[in-house]
Each structure stands twice: as C-alpha cells, then as structure tokens.
Amino acid sequence: MYTQGLDALGDESLHLPEEQLAELEARFQAKIDADEKIEPKDWMPAAYRMTLIRQISQHAHSEIVGMLPEGNWISRAPSLKRKCVLIAKVQDEGGHGAYLYSAAETLGISREQMVEQLLTGKAKYSSIFNYPTPSWADIGAIGWLVDGAAIMNQIPLCRCSYGPYARAMVRICKEESFHQRQGFEIMMRLCEGSTDQQRMAQEALDRWWWPSLMMFGPDDANSKHTGQSMRWKIKRFTNDELRQKFVDVTVPQAEFLGLNIPDDALVWNEETEHYHFGPIDWDEFQRVLAGHGPCNQERIRARIEAHESGAWVREAALANAAKQSKNL
Ligand code: FAQ
C-alpha cells in the first residue's frame, strides 16, 4: 500500500540502488537520534512520509469532524457567554484542522486528496467523535476529558521529529489547554448546582470516560505503528503510557468535582504509584473504527453536505485568487 501511495507521490528514492538508499537511511536516522528536525525538503524514507501523512491527516480530520458534536450545542448554549465561548472553541478546532492539513500537504499530498479520503471512508478520524452529545453537560465533559486526553497525547507531539507537524502542535496545544479549562469549568458549575445538574454531570462522565480512554489507541501489544513511530520520534510515548498518564491526572479532578469514575476496578496502586483501571472494551473500539459507532454515519453525512454546499465558496476563492494574480 505504501509503495503504491508513494508512486502516486512521485517518490524518486524508490528507484535508488540499495547501498545508496541504506546510506540515506542511516544519515536520516542519525539526524533523528541527534534530535534534529526533519524538514519537507529533506530526504526521508518512504514509510516515514506515509506514516506522517496517515497520522497528520487523521489528526486533521479529527479536528474537523470534532467540530460536530459540540457544534450541536451552539444554538442551545445556556447563556450568551457560554455561546460565545463555544463558538470560539469550535472555530479553534477548525483552525487546528487547517494547520494540520497544511502540515500534511508539505509531505506531497493535496488537501483535496485528504478530504476525498475522509468523505469516502478511506481515512480514519478519532473514534471519540462518533458519540452523541445529548445534554449540555456533554459539552463540559468533552472539554474536560476529550481535550484533556488530546493535550496529553499532543504535548509530546510538539517534540515530534517532523518540523511542520511539531510547530503546528505548539499553537494547537496552547488552544487545547484553554479548551480543557473551559470544559472543566462547565463541569464545576454543574457540580456546584442543583441535584439535576449534578446528575447531568455524572451522566456525561459516564458516557465519555471509556471512549476518552480509547482515544489513545489500541493497547501497546496491538499497536502496529508504535514501535517504528517511536524509533522515528514521531511518537515519544506509547499509547498505554499516555493513557495511564491521563488516568492519573484525571481521577483526582473527578474527585474534586465530587463525581464517580464509572469503573469498579479503579484503584490507587501504592507500589506503582499509578491508578490501576479496569479492562477497556476493545470490541466497542473496533466497532466504532469499522464505522458502526452511534454517530459514524451522521458525522460523515454532515461533512459531505458541508463539502457540497461549500463548493461555491471554494470556486469563488479560486476565481478571486486568479484575478488577484493577474493584477500583480
Ligand atoms: N480512533 O498502531 P496504532 C482532538 C488507528 S484530536 C481512530 O496505535 P498510531 C482535538 C490508527 O490510525 C484527536 N483510529 O496507531 C479535539 C491506525 O490506523 P491504520 C485526534 C485510531 O498512529 C478535541 C490503527 O488504529 N488526535 O481530540 C485510534 O501509532 C475536542 C492502529 O493504531 C490525534 O490524531 C482512534 N482513537 O497511534 C477536537 C493525535 N487510535 O494504520 C474537537 C495524533 C488508533 O490501521 C473537540 N495521532 N487508531 O489505518 C496519534 O497520536 C496516533 O495516531 C494515535 C494512534 C495515538 C491516535
């Protein structure tokens, strides 16, 4: 699959003699080992390029599809202040998608190709965005847990070996940190409120806890990309390491809110100084990835409709750009 993709990208190194390729690969790995950044014009192994295209485009799609569950509440936010904050947050996610598509484009794939892969189901996006947001408390839970998990995963990506991705992540992480705090603040207000509001907060935590743990990807034994991605310093921690960090940070926050994590097996382990948590339902994870989560179809339908109804905007922008370049 990689080779086909690279032929389409016109990768000339595919046709180099073996010794020359080995030398290029050794120099490339030495650069990574020395913690230097790889930039778009540098030589890179075909598989490194394809791994980045997969990961960055999946990440970009996640940001764009991730606008939908929260966008659902913009028209029904409980106050003007909450509405303004939510609009700003959803707009930030759109911006993150735009930086990430640009970072992926530096690897030789076009935005049109990536969008086509999303809309035809060839490309994945994060499993988490296939869950519904039936109450306002879900907006708090998304900010607190989903953005919280996203930050845990993305802070190390600021040190990723690929320069454009690492640099995009710096700004994204700053914004995600504001998003996480606004979510936690929504949860705090609900938890200080009436019994009904506290119940809403608990139900939202019950809905989002396990899907948030799944965001970190399959466990290490089943993560086919982690080993190589760590050697290339695309990933700095394994899926399980990041998931554990997230649990360790989040459990005390839930205690502070007076909420119960929906996991009977959750217990602090004095020896390891980590929380031990119960088994994740990997069958559910695989079902969601295969397109059978609660909202997969709705999400893709919404993206297709947005793409089709936005066609005139893209045409107008291109016509305007052509006109401007003639005037130069
Ligand atoms: N959902 O071998 P691994 C956000 C796929 S942004 C769907 O472990 P890897 C902001 C994986 O691609 C959230 N697919 O893969 C926001 C691979 O696919 P393949 C997104 C998943 O890459 C907040 C296969 O499974 N963040 O939330 C998932 O080493 C609020 C095997 O997995 C990023 O994308 C999943 N959860 O590790 C927006 C961060 N997990 O090759 C709006 C960047 C795995 O079979 C509102 N990405 N897969 O086609 C990463 O760090 C990594 O790609 C991982 C997966 C950790 C997600």
Side-chain angles (χ1 to χ4, degrees):
M1 185 202 95
Y2 279 167
T3 319
Q4 274 173 10
L6 283 159
D7 268 344
L9 294 174
D11 192 315
E12 286 161 12
S13 60
L14 282 176
H15 309 293
L16 287 177
E18 241 171 65
E19 315 85 74
Q20 212 176 326
L21 204 57
E23 201 186 310
L24 282 168
E25 274 176 5
R27 248 188 279 155
F28 168 84
Q29 190 61 47
K31 220 169 161 185
I32 302 241
D33 294 344
D35 264 334
E36 286 176 35
K37 292 278 179 254
I38 305 298
E39 297 297 339
K41 289 192 175 150
D42 294 343
W43 184 88
M44 60 187 84
Y48 176 83
R49 186 186 296 278
M50 293 312 285
T51 297
L52 281 168
I53 289 178
R54 175 188 57 79
Q55 178 166 327
I56 303 174
S57 64
Q58 173 185 320
H59 194 165
H61 299 324
S62 304
E63 301 280 358
I64 299 296
V65 178
M67 297 165 79
L68 297 168
E70 287 172 293
N72 179 35
W73 277 91
I74 290 176
S75 60
R76 292 174 291 148
S79 69
L80 181 60
K81 181 184 136 195
R82 293 291 183 201
K83 191 192 282 275
C84 293
V85 172
L86 188 56
I87 289 173
K89 179 185 190 297
V90 172
Q91 199 172 347
D92 283 353
E93 310 297 3
H96 298 173
Y99 316 147
L100 289 164
Y101 282 128
S102 299
E105 279 184 315
T106 65
L107 291 155
I109 186 166
S110 71
R111 179 143 168 189
E112 288 72 24
Q113 283 171 298
M114 288 184 272
V115 170
E116 200 255 347
Q117 288 173 356
L118 171 69
L119 300 185
T120 55
K122 279 186 218 134
K124 293 187 170 81
Y125 58 89
S126 182
S127 49
I128 192 77
F129 300 117
N130 293 304
Y131 291 86
T133 44
S135 95
W136 170 253
D138 292 306
I139 301 308
I142 290 183
W144 172 36
L145 300 174
V146 177
D147 284 282
I151 295 170
M152 197 54 88
N153 165 275
Q154 290 172 186
I155 294 277
L157 289 175
C158 298
R159 293 189 296 121
C160 157
S161 59
Y162 188 58
Y165 192 24
R167 289 188 289 273
M169 290 321 301
V170 173
R171 174 157 174 193
I172 292 178
C173 283
K174 284 185 185 155
E175 292 178 353
E176 299 292 25
S177 143
F178 151 73
H179 297 169
Q180 195 272 350
R181 275 183 245 163
Q182 70 83 41
F184 190 74
E185 204 256 346
I186 292 177
M187 295 303 273
M188 239 164 40
R189 294 283 91 81
L190 290 171
C191 291
E192 289 163 359
S194 65
T195 315
D196 276 347
Q197 286 171 317
Q198 289 166 8
R199 182 182 43 77
M200 278 168 62
Q202 181 62 53
E203 286 172 357
L205 170 58
D206 294 348
R207 276 193 285 277
W208 292 90
W209 176 252
W210 290 106
S212 297
L213 297 195
M214 292 175 199
M215 277 179 78
F216 294 93
D219 54 14
D220 291 352
N222 292 301
S223 166
K224 58 184 172 191
H225 299 298
T226 293
Q228 184 59 70
S229 287
M230 299 271 286
R231 282 190 288 281
W232 281 330
K233 296 189 183 171
I234 294 173
K235 288 170 88 162
R236 298 280 182 160
F237 296 95
T238 71
N239 298 353
D240 285 338
E241 285 168 348
L242 290 174
R243 192 171 5 251
Q244 184 67 58
K245 277 175 188 263
F246 173 73
V247 172
D248 290 346
V249 164
T250 311
V251 172
Q253 295 173 353
E255 280 166 6
F256 179 82
L257 292 172
L259 297 175
N260 298 314
I261 301 277
D263 177 359
D264 293 339
L266 187 75
V267 61
W268 176 253
N269 183 326
E270 289 287 350
E271 246 170 64
T272 60
E273 301 201 331
H274 291 295
Y275 282 96
H276 166 83
F277 53 94
I280 292 175
D281 183 349
W282 292 117
D283 289 342
E284 174 179 325
F285 176 70
Q286 290 304 339
R287 269 198 307 279
V288 174
L289 255 58
H292 308 301
C295 299
N296 293 60
Q297 289 185 10
E298 185 183 329
R299 300 292 182 239
I300 289 298
R301 209 169 36 242
R303 286 311 313 156
I304 291 173
E305 274 170 25
H307 190 68
E308 286 172 356
S309 61
W312 70 271
V313 180
R314 294 189 295 279
E315 280 162 25
L318 283 172
N320 186 48
K323 198 165 127 195
Q324 298 297 329
S325 69
K326 264 192 217 147
N327 293 342
L328 284 177

